[in-house]
Amino acid sequence: MYCFNWVIKQTYRGSRKKVDSDPELFFKLKLALRLGKTLAELEQSLSSREFYYWVAFDRINPIGDERHDWHSAQITSAIYRSQGAKVDFDDCLMKFRKEKKEPVSMFEALSNLFGK
């Protein structure tokens, strides 16, 4: 088992960073998963026009697992609230990817630090 884990780590080193930093690749992988195709099959059968239609459709009606996560968070927050807890929707939402923080200017950082 150790040997298998080592091979996996060596083979896919840096792949996560590439997927996280390339939104188009991330969307293609999500679409391929939803359509039951490999990435190569998807790229071979999908025109660029159809791809951008899928991107637009995803913005209106998410095709990935985000919708299920939102639904679960909605139910979870409703259950907590029914028991008297003060819970935000975002507290119940599962986060699999790190959120990228916007850069803050030095002036804003010092203002936040000193409360001005």
Side-chain angles (χ1 to χ4, degrees), residues 3-90:
C3 183
F4 178 74
N5 290 338
W6 182 83
V7 168
I8 294 295
K9 285 179 183 178
Q10 296 302 314
T11 305
Y12 298 106
R13 187 184 325 175
S15 296
R16 180 183 174 123
K17 186 180 280 187
K18 183 177 181 182
V19 171
D20 280 346
S21 64
D22 186 353
E24 187 174 315
L25 177 61
F26 183 81
F27 182 77
K28 283 181 181 179
L29 289 167
K30 183 169 71 167
L31 183 60
L33 181 66
R34 185 58 72 200
L35 296 177
K37 295 183 175 188
T38 65
L39 186 58
E41 290 171 340
L42 181 73
E43 289 178 337
Q44 195 172 40
S45 66
L46 195 68
S47 69
S48 62
R49 184 176 184 175
E50 186 179 357
F51 173 74
Y52 288 110
Y53 279 139
W54 276 110
V55 171
F57 179 76
D58 181 58
R59 289 191 178 145
I60 297 168
N61 188 8
I63 61 173
D65 294 329
E66 295 95 357
R67 172 164 283 180
H68 302 296
D69 294 343
W70 295 336
H71 189 238
S72 297
Q74 205 171 24
I75 292 170
T76 303
S77 65
I79 290 170
Y80 278 120
R81 288 179 189 156
S82 72
Q83 301 300 315
K86 295 182 180 179
V87 177
D88 288 335
F89 173 79
D90 290 333

